[in-house]
């Protein structure tokens, strides 16, 4: 039970008398004339008003004359005669323009119910769609209350004898409606109300002594007794959804609220209740202080008319009185057009207009009633911005009073609307760090904090040394629950020395770089850092090893080397609780990690040898570095056995075939470390025979010089010439080696004899006996060659003479064809036949089958074509000066090259320019002879 005496009173409504519209003379129909200015100023209703209702944009009144009056918003009062005697009850539906009324057309107790359709007219009056007697039986009784369901399917009528009738069906038609007695009792019925909950319809029935409810949407109409306290007439109402559509019953001591199946809360509002209404979340009660039994209202209603009545408007949600005022003899209180209208017995209408929400809030602010203002704003559905403004003002008020704990709680409610810096500045004092911490915690929980807020909150935790709160803040269960910038938190915790907390954040939120920085730079736990890298996915493990590999190699060389081996061959993260083999294997480029071993040659050698063995297709840099490392070790090794082993390893690596594409680099490395065997091997692989020769010459290794010439002289004959020059310059006795060189030069005809003599002339120790055998053999060979050439010349001259004679005969004498056989099929010739000047004869059909053209002999054509191709090739190559010069320089026998080009006719043009005219006939004649040779194959005419 809530005592209203503790409730504050406010003036949230403005009262004024309703004025008549302009142009109205102020006198209502049937009203007594009023003198003075008041007649044209205030609205005056007709006398004898007995019942009122409102809805569909009008106030509806019924009077003792049987008339029903309508007062629309324009305040133009209209009415019609509804009953012959009087109107006792009215019910205006809110969703339909239907009016239900109860009245009397004749003397006696015989009330009639009439249903009016206000949208239709009958002779200027609303159409009455149905008339039926209110009393279902024969016993006379007085109607005490009336209610109609908004769906037009239910209407309930209460009587003073304690009975209730229910009209079920379409209430606007007799045919579709059925009337039955729902309730019988011993106490007068004082109130009725329908309540719709889904598809279930309840009817509340209240008498002077009890309250009950019925389910009227079913068949059996089950009844529930709710209470044994009743109320007087017009002292019950149905609330709106803000109070869950509860049925309100106002007794003299308390006001009770009911659900269809139980009693709800009650409020101790004292005073004798006369009228109860529900208006937009407010409970409107008209009462008087003198307590009278509800039963007396049926016997002595007129005795109340002169009493002073008090109208109170209660806000049940926020527990305050929104308005309270005294009136003289209130007839009823109506709600329409967003306002309350109080009708008094003198015909005046008082309008109670609710003040706007902002005005009400300002009134509460002036009295520092912020909690009440907050509740009011929520009940009025004020937007979040408006609520935040109230919370801010309330917080400022508490802050000014020194209540910092309460103030920060209000500021917390402004998060998302109020700039956080406004609040943070107020609590930067060290004494208020607890309040600042609470605000920043909430700011983070709502994911509205930035990096600066995170920094400030963590600094608060560290200054308070509140490790439990700090752990609670950072140790969230999942990534979605993180309400702060993780990287900023890690930085702050690291700076404050909370390394374990920073490591927790970095590990749980995959900030690998920060985790490793803290482990390596702050804690210096290199083993743990290495273990952590081994758990990372391949990409992160690779990048972090490149970044921190040198530090790890310096402090934990063996473990780091092992990790690098795995990273570059078959890497799988070593995740706890998950099989390593489930993840796909990856491998990094081993060449990129070589700089990490800058100061660890032993580990570098182990790494490189492992990569070369396990992964033969390793990058070339691995083999280059391994070769350099082995050469360095070989160069600095003092132990002969170890040096020999290193020598073998280096040679083996060079012979592995991995340095074909980087020959120069390997050669430079061998030369830098004076690894001569490697240098000679690379010279030989690179076919640098000149360099091999030069190396042996520098070291005066005569036998090796001869051996090089013997091995590679076929590929590079100039080696023998160089060897001869080399030995010719030596002053010591080199006859054995000179003789060997000369034998090879002679066999291969590598040098002209004159050049050999000139070369050996530089040696003061060389005698003629050294080259005597060479010269004798050379002269003998030349003599034989001269004899062969003279024989060939003689044969060519004889052939030329013979050809010229044939040509002359062809030109000067007839040709007799005496062939008796075909040159193709060797059969006897028969006409028609084809004969050529070359002496070949063919059957015509054989010639046509085998010939490529009509002018060429098929037998001579292949040979003639070769000759013609040679002539064309010679003509095309006459201008190949560059090719001639190149061959002349590169050839060992320049004379043969020149002779070949003479034979091609390259120098013919030069001869034509310099020879006299008589000399030109000879080459022309020779050219003519070549062409005339072809005439043998021409067909005779």
């Amino acid at each position: 039970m809530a005592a209203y005496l503790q409730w504050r009173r406010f003036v949230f409504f403005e009262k004024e008398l309703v004025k008549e519209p302009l142009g109205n003379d102020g006198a209502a129909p049937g009203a007594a004339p009023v003198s003075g200015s008041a007649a044209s100023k205030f609205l005056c209703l007709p006398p004898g008003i007995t019942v009122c209702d409102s809805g569909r944009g009008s106030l509806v009144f019924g009077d003792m004359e049987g008339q029903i009056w309508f007062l629309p918003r324009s305040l133009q009062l209209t009415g019609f005669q509804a009953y012959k005697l009087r109107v006792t009850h009215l019910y205006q539906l809110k969703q339909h323009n239907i009016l239900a009324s109860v009245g009397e057309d004749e003397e006696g107790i015989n009330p009639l119910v009439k249903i009016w359709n206000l949208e239709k007219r009958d002779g200027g009056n609303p159409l009455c769609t149905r008339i039926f007697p209110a009393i279902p039986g024969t016993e006379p009784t007085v109607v005490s209350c009336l209610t109609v369901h908004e769906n037009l399917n239910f209407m309930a009528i209460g009587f003073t004898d304690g009975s209730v009738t229910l009209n079920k069906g379409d209430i606007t038609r007799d045919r579709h409606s059925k009337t039955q007695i729902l309730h019988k009792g011993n106490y007068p019925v004082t109130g009725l109300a329908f309540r719709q909950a889904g598809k279930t319809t309840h009817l509340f029935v209240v008498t002077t002594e009890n309250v009950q409810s019925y389910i009227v949407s079913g068949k059996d109409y089950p009844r529930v007794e709710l209470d044994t306290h009743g109320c007087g007439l017009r002292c019950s109402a149905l609330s709106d959804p803000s109070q869950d559509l509860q049925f309100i019953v106002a007794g003299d001591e308390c006001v009770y609220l009911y659900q269809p199946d139980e009693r709800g809360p009650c409020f101790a509002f004292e005073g004798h209740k006369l009228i109860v209404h529900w208006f937009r979340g407010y409970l409107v009660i008209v009462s008087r202080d003198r307590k009278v039994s509800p039963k007396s209202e049926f016997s002595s209603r007129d005795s109340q008319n002169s009493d002073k009545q008090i109208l109170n408007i209660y806000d049940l949600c926020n527990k305050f009185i929104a308005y309270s005022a005294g009136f003289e003899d209130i007839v009823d209180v109506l709600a329409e057009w967003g306002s309350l209208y109080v009708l008094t017995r003198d015909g005046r209408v008082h309008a109670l207009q609710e003040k706007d929400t902002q005005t009400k809030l300002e009134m509460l602010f002036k009295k520092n009633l912020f909690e009440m203002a907050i509740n009011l704003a929520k009940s009025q559905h004020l937007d979040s911005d408006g609520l935040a403004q109230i919370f801010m003002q309330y917080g400022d008020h508490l802050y000014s009073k020194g209540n910092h704990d309460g103030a920060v709680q209000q500021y917390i409610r402004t998060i998302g609307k109020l700039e956080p810096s406004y609040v943070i500045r107020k609590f930067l004092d060290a004494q208020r760090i607890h309040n600042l911490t609470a605000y920043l915690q909430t700011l983070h929980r709502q994911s509205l904090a930035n990096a600066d807020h995170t920094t400030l909150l963590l600094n608060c935790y560290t200054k308070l040394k509140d490790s439990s709160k700090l752990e609670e803040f950072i140790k969230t269960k999942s990534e979605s629950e993180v309400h702060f910038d993780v990287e900023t938190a890690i930085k702050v915790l690291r700076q404050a020395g909370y390394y374990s907390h920073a490591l927790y954040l970095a590990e749980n939120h995959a900030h690998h770089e920060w985790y490793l920085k803290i482990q390596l730079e702050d804690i210096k736990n290199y083993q743990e850092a290495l273990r952590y890298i081994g758990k990372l996915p391949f990409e992160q493990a690779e990048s972090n090893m490149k970044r921190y590999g040198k530090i790890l190699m310096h402090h934990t060389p063996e473990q780091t080397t092992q990790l690098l081996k795995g990273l570059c061959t078959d890497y799988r993260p070593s995740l706890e609780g998950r099989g390593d083999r489930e993840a796909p294997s990856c491998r990094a480029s081993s060449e990129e990690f070589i700089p990490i071993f800058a100061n660890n040659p032993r580990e570098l050698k182990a790494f490189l040898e492992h990569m070369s063995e396990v992964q033969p297709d390793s990058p070339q840099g691995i083999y280059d570095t391994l070769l350099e490392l082995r050469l360095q070790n070989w160069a600095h090794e003092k132990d002969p056995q170890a040096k020999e082993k290193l020598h073998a390893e280096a040679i083996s690596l060079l012979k592995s075939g991995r340095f074909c594409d980087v020959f120069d680099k390997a050669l430079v490395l061998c030369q830098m470390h004076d690894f001569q065997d490697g240098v000679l091997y690379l010279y030989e692989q690179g076919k640098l025979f000149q360099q091999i020769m030069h190396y042996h010459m520098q070291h005066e290794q005569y036998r090796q010089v001869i051996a090089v010439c013997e091995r590679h002289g076929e590929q590079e004959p100039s080696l023998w010439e160089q060897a001869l020059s080399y030995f010719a310059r030596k002053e010591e006795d080199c006859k054995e080696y000179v003789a060997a060189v000369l034998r090879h030069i002679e066999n291969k005809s590598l040098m002209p004899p004159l050049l050999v003599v000139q070369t050996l002339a530089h040696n003061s120790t060389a005698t003629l006996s050294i080259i005597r055998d060479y010269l004798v053999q050379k002269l003998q060979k030349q003599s034989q060659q001269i004899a062969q050439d003279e024989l060939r010349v003689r044969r060519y001259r004889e052939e030329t003479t013979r050809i010229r004679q044939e040509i002359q005969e062809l030109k000067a004498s007839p040709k007799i064809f005496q062939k008796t056989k075909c040159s193709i099929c060797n059969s006897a010739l028969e006409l028609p036949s084809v004969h050529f000047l070359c002496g070949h004869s063919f059957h015509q059909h054989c010639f046509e089958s085998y010939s490529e053209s009509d002018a060429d002999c098929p037998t001579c054509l292949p040979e003639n074509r070769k000759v013609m191709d040679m002539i064309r090739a010679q003509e095309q190559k006459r201008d190949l000066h560059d090719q001639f010069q190149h061959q002349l320089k590169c050839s060992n026998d320049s004379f043969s090259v020149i002779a070949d080009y003479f034979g091609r006719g390259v120098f013919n043009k030069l001869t034509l320019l310099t020879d006299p005219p008589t000399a030109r006939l000879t080459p022309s004649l020779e050219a003519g002879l070549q062409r005339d040779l072809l005439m043998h194959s021409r067909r005779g005419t």
Side-chain angles (χ1 to χ4, degrees):
M1 179 181 294
Y4 86 100
L5 295 176
Q6 300 175 356
W7 291 14
R8 288 182 175 270
R9 296 174 181 266
F10 301 98
V11 183
F12 286 164
F13 287 81
E14 295 179 348
K15 183 180 79 170
E16 62 176 349
L17 277 170
V18 178
K19 299 178 180 178
E20 288 192 3
L22 297 176
N24 197 332
D25 59 2
V34 180
S35 62
S37 60
S40 59
K41 185 174 182 181
F42 300 112
L43 178 68
C44 185
L45 296 178
I49 297 295
T50 58
V51 64
C52 309
D53 203 357
S54 63
R56 306 296 295 180
S58 297
L59 304 181
V60 186
F61 311 105
D63 62 12
M64 295 297 295
E65 303 296 330
Q67 289 190 331
I68 295 178
W69 301 92
F70 296 94
L71 184 66
R73 194 163 193 173
S74 62
L75 302 182
Q76 298 292 336
L77 191 65
T78 59
F80 70 97
Q81 190 71 38
Y83 293 90
K84 295 178 181 178
L85 294 183
R86 66 184 65 83
V87 180
T88 60
H89 296 84
L90 290 174
Y91 191 91
Q92 173 66 56
L93 276 79
K94 304 301 185 286
Q95 299 179 10
H96 303 277
N97 210 1
I98 300 295
L99 175 66
S101 63
V102 178
E104 299 175 0
D105 281 341
E106 58 186 15
E107 294 293 342
I109 304 176
N110 188 22
L112 292 177
V113 179
K114 295 184 179 182
I115 307 299
W116 307 90
N117 189 336
L118 303 182
E119 293 180 348
K120 297 181 180 180
R121 294 289 170 176
D122 182 14
N125 296 330
L127 175 64
C128 181
T129 62
R130 184 182 179 191
I131 303 176
F132 63 93
I135 302 174
T138 57
E139 297 181 3
T141 182
V142 177
V143 174
S144 60
C145 53
L146 168 70
T147 186
V148 181
H149 198 288
E150 288 295 332
N151 62 11
L152 300 178
N153 288 324
F154 297 100
M155 180 171 64
I157 303 173
F159 300 91
T160 56
D161 64 354
S163 62
V164 176
T165 62
L166 176 67
N167 285 268
K168 192 172 183 181
D170 189 351
I171 65 169
T172 62
R173 299 181 182 181
D174 289 325
R175 181 178 302 176
H176 300 288
S177 180
K178 179 180 178 182
T179 304
Q180 54 188 319
I181 298 175
L182 178 67
H183 172 77
K184 287 186 177 182
N186 299 322
Y187 306 105
V189 177
T190 57
L192 298 169
F194 285 109
R195 181 184 187 272
Q196 189 71 36
K199 295 183 179 181
T200 304
T201 305
H202 295 89
L203 174 64
F204 289 101
V205 179
V206 59
T207 67
T208 56
E209 299 296 335
N210 56 39
V211 181
Q212 50 214 326
S213 70
Y214 290 87
I215 299 177
V216 298
S217 55
K219 294 182 178 180
D220 298 333
Y221 308 131
R223 170 177 169 272
V224 177
E225 184 81 23
L226 297 177
D227 209 341
T228 57
H229 301 282
C231 66
L233 281 172
R234 301 192 298 173
C235 291
S236 62
L238 190 70
S239 68
D240 60 16
S242 67
Q243 282 293 333
D244 199 19
L245 296 174
Q246 297 185 91
F247 186 56
I248 301 170
V249 176
D252 288 343
E253 299 295 334
C254 295
V255 174
Y256 301 92
L257 278 68
Y258 299 93
Q259 293 284 356
D261 53 354
E262 62 180 355
R263 191 178 82 175
C266 64
F267 300 90
F269 300 149
E270 296 181 353
H272 179 58
K273 313 301 187 298
L274 302 176
I275 300 172
V276 173
H277 284 290
W278 186 266
F279 169 67
R280 296 172 66 177
Y282 294 109
L283 176 62
V284 181
I285 297 180
V286 177
S287 61
R288 65 170 182 264
D289 292 334
R290 183 172 62 87
K291 297 181 180 179
V292 178
S293 172
K295 299 178 183 179
S296 65
E297 295 195 12
F298 296 98
S299 59
S300 58
R301 178 180 295 181
D302 294 340
S303 64
Q304 305 171 14
N305 295 342
S306 61
D307 294 337
K308 183 74 173 179
Q309 298 171 350
I310 300 174
L311 184 145
N312 290 320
I313 302 177
Y314 299 95
D315 188 331
L316 300 184
C317 291
N318 300 312
K319 307 265 188 313
F320 64 79
I321 301 174
Y323 183 77
S324 181
F327 290 89
E328 292 288 344
D329 202 0
I330 297 176
V331 177
D332 207 344
V333 180
L334 305 176
E336 193 65 30
W337 312 311
S339 300
L340 285 173
Y341 293 90
V342 181
L343 173 63
T344 55
R345 188 67 61 186
D346 59 1
R348 303 295 185 186
V349 179
H350 301 265
L352 298 179
Q353 179 69 41
E354 185 179 8
K355 296 179 181 180
D356 62 87
T357 303
Q358 191 60 39
T359 302
K360 292 188 284 187
L361 291 176
E362 290 176 357
M363 294 170 64
L364 295 175
F365 294 157
K366 290 178 181 179
K367 297 181 179 181
N368 294 326
L369 300 175
F370 292 98
E371 286 288 353
M372 191 170 290
I374 292 169
N375 295 332
L376 176 64
K378 290 180 178 179
S379 64
Q380 297 288 330
H381 304 292
L382 194 66
D383 61 10
S384 56
D385 292 333
L387 282 171
Q389 188 66 25
I390 300 174
F391 295 143
M392 185 193 73
Q393 294 186 33
Y394 190 18
D396 292 344
H397 170 71
L398 294 176
Y399 185 86
S400 63
K401 296 294 184 181
N403 184 1
H404 298 127
D405 294 340
V408 80
Q409 293 303 318
Q410 299 306 316
Y411 288 135
I412 286 173
R413 302 168 79 178
T414 67
I415 290 176
K417 300 297 180 182
L418 182 63
E419 178 62 35
S421 59
Y422 175 84
V423 180
I424 292 172
R425 284 195 297 267
K426 291 179 176 290
F427 296 97
L428 286 177
D429 192 342
Q431 297 178 352
R432 301 167 190 167
I433 193 170
H434 294 280
N435 304 126
L436 179 59
T437 303
Y439 178 81
L440 291 173
Q441 282 177 336
T442 308
L443 194 66
H444 282 79
R445 277 195 292 270
Q446 298 187 17
S447 300
L448 295 174
N450 57 28
D452 295 332
H453 299 148
T454 302
T455 303
L456 188 57
L457 177 58
L458 293 174
N459 284 328
C460 290
Y461 284 141
T462 55
K463 291 185 180 300
L464 292 172
K465 299 191 181 304
D466 192 347
S467 298
S468 60
K469 284 287 186 181
L470 181 59
E471 291 183 2
E472 181 184 353
F473 176 72
I474 66 173
K475 291 186 178 181
T476 52
K477 295 181 180 179
S478 65
E479 186 74 24
S480 60
E481 297 180 10
V482 176
H483 306 294
F484 56 88
D485 183 71
V486 176
E487 187 171 359
T488 301
I490 294 172
K491 292 179 182 178
V492 175
L493 292 171
R494 183 189 182 196
Q495 186 176 5
Y498 284 78
Y499 299 127
S500 61
H501 297 79
L503 287 174
Y504 174 85
L505 283 179
E507 183 173 8
N508 278 18
H509 300 282
H511 286 265
H512 311 307
E513 183 177 353
W514 283 107
Y515 184 93
L516 294 172
K517 277 186 178 181
I518 297 171
Q519 288 284 16
L520 297 174
E521 298 175 10
D522 300 323
I523 304 178
K524 301 190 183 302
N525 190 343
Y526 305 103
Q527 295 284 354
E528 181 62 26
L530 202 61
R531 181 198 62 81
Y532 183 80
I533 294 177
K535 297 193 305 180
L536 297 179
F538 172 74
E539 292 78 6
Q540 286 83 359
E542 181 185 20
S543 62
N544 282 291
M545 280 305 296
K546 290 178 181 178
R547 184 178 293 111
Y548 303 110
K550 289 186 178 180
I551 299 175
L552 293 170
M553 182 61 68
H554 178 71
H555 294 89
T556 57
E558 294 183 2
Q559 294 86 339
T560 305
T561 303
Q562 285 300 118
L563 179 57
L564 287 174
K565 288 179 181 179
L567 190 64
C568 297
T569 52
D570 188 15
Y571 178 76
R572 287 184 175 89
S574 58
L575 299 178
E576 297 178 1
R578 185 187 304 175
D580 295 347
R581 297 182 180 178
E582 294 180 3
S585 62
C586 303
R587 66 181 186 182
S589 175
S590 51
E591 185 178 7
E592 297 177 358
F593 294 99
I594 293 176
I596 293 176
F597 298 90
N599 299 317
N600 299 80
R602 184 170 61 87
E603 285 75 16
L604 175 59
K605 182 181 179 182
F607 174 74
L608 295 176
E609 289 177 347
H610 172 80
M611 294 307 303
S612 63
E613 293 173 4
V614 177
Q615 190 176 321
D617 59 340
S618 296
Q620 184 60 42
I622 293 294
Y623 292 94
D624 295 343
T625 309
L626 181 58
L627 176 62
E628 183 178 4
L629 192 61
R630 287 183 176 179
L631 292 176
Q632 285 179 355
N633 295 339
W634 174 83
H636 295 90
E637 183 60 51
K638 303 299 182 182
D639 184 13
Q641 292 183 353
K643 193 176 186 71
E644 183 63 27
K645 182 181 178 181
L646 293 172
H647 178 278
E649 291 178 353
I651 288 295
S652 174
L653 183 59
L654 287 172
K655 292 181 178 181
S656 64
R658 297 296 307 183
F659 300 95
C660 298
D661 298 332
V662 289
F663 170 81
D664 295 340
K665 188 172 184 180
L667 183 59
V668 169
L669 289 174
C670 291
Q671 290 174 342
M672 286 174 55
H673 296 88
D674 196 22
F675 190 61
Q676 299 302 331
D677 290 346
V679 171
L680 291 175
Y681 173 78
L682 292 173
Y683 280 161
E684 186 171 356
Q685 292 299 112
K687 297 183 179 180
L688 301 178
F689 308 128
Q690 301 284 350
Q691 282 78 357
I692 298 175
M693 178 76 78
H694 181 68
Y695 172 80
H696 291 307
M697 289 178 177
Q698 283 184 330
H699 293 80
E700 297 184 351
Q701 298 172 349
Y702 301 149
R703 294 189 181 279
Q704 283 78 2
V705 171
I706 298 298
V708 170
C709 292
E710 291 175 349
R711 283 199 308 270
H712 309 297
E714 294 292 335
Q715 302 177 49
E716 194 166 347
S718 61
L719 294 176
W720 291 102
E721 299 176 13
Q722 294 179 18
L724 182 62
S725 300
Y726 169 72
F727 289 123
R729 289 192 297 270
K730 291 296 180 180
E731 296 300 328
E732 60 266 24
D733 187 8
C734 297
K735 293 180 180 181
E736 178 185 353
Y737 305 110
V738 172
V741 173
L742 288 176
R743 282 195 300 271
H744 192 83
I745 291 175
E746 178 188 357
N747 294 334
K748 300 296 183 180
S749 300
L750 299 178
M751 294 176 64
L754 183 60
L755 183 58
V756 172
V757 173
Q758 291 176 351
T759 303
L760 292 175
H762 298 287
N763 191 337
S764 60
T765 63
T767 60
L768 185 59
S769 60
I770 297 177
I771 61 172
R772 182 181 59 188
D773 294 337
Y774 166 76
L775 292 176
V776 170
Q777 293 176 6
K778 196 67 177 176
L779 290 174
Q780 289 176 353
K781 286 183 180 181
Q782 288 184 354
S783 297
Q784 294 174 0
Q785 184 65 37
I786 291 171
Q788 292 175 0
D789 291 342
E790 288 177 349
L791 181 60
R792 191 180 296 110
V793 169
R794 188 164 52 251
R795 187 171 62 252
Y796 287 162
R797 284 177 179 174
E798 291 174 357
E799 183 70 20
T800 301
T801 302
R802 184 184 61 78
I803 292 173
R804 284 178 178 176
Q805 288 177 357
E806 289 181 3
I807 293 172
Q808 186 63 31
E809 289 177 0
L810 290 173
K811 288 181 179 180
S813 61
K815 178 70 174 177
I816 299 173
F817 301 104
Q818 296 179 345
K819 282 278 186 178
T820 60
K821 292 184 178 182
C822 175
S823 298
I824 294 178
C825 64
N826 289 326
S827 300
L829 279 175
E830 296 177 358
L831 296 177
S833 61
V834 178
H835 304 276
F836 285 89
L837 292 176
C838 61
H840 295 108
S841 299
F842 307 94
H843 292 116
Q844 184 173 357
H845 63 272
C846 290
F847 173 75
E848 291 176 351
S849 300
Y850 289 94
S851 65
E852 296 182 7
S853 65
D854 295 340
D856 295 321
C857 171
T859 303
C860 299
L861 180 60
E863 190 66 27
N864 293 342
R865 184 173 292 167
K866 291 181 181 179
V867 175
M868 292 302 296
D869 290 342
M870 292 173 60
I871 294 173
R872 282 194 293 269
Q874 290 176 2
E875 290 176 351
Q876 291 175 359
K877 294 181 179 179
R878 286 178 180 177
D879 296 331
L880 300 180
H881 177 71
D882 293 339
Q883 185 177 357
F884 168 71
Q885 292 291 338
H886 177 72
Q887 292 185 6
L888 190 63
K889 291 180 180 179
C890 296
S891 175
N892 296 325
D893 191 357
S894 302
F895 181 78
S896 300
V897 175
I898 296 172
D900 180 55
Y901 274 83
F902 264 110
R904 297 181 188 179
V906 173
F907 302 104
N908 286 352
K909 292 184 180 180
L910 295 175
T911 304
L912 291 174
L913 289 174
T914 57
D915 290 347
T918 57
R920 298 178 187 173
L921 297 176
T922 302
S924 299
L925 180 59
E926 295 296 331
L929 286 174
Q930 293 178 352
R931 293 183 177 87
D932 290 342
L933 287 174
L934 301 177
M935 295 302 292
H936 291 79
S937 61
R938 295 297 179 185
R939 186 170 60 175
T941 57

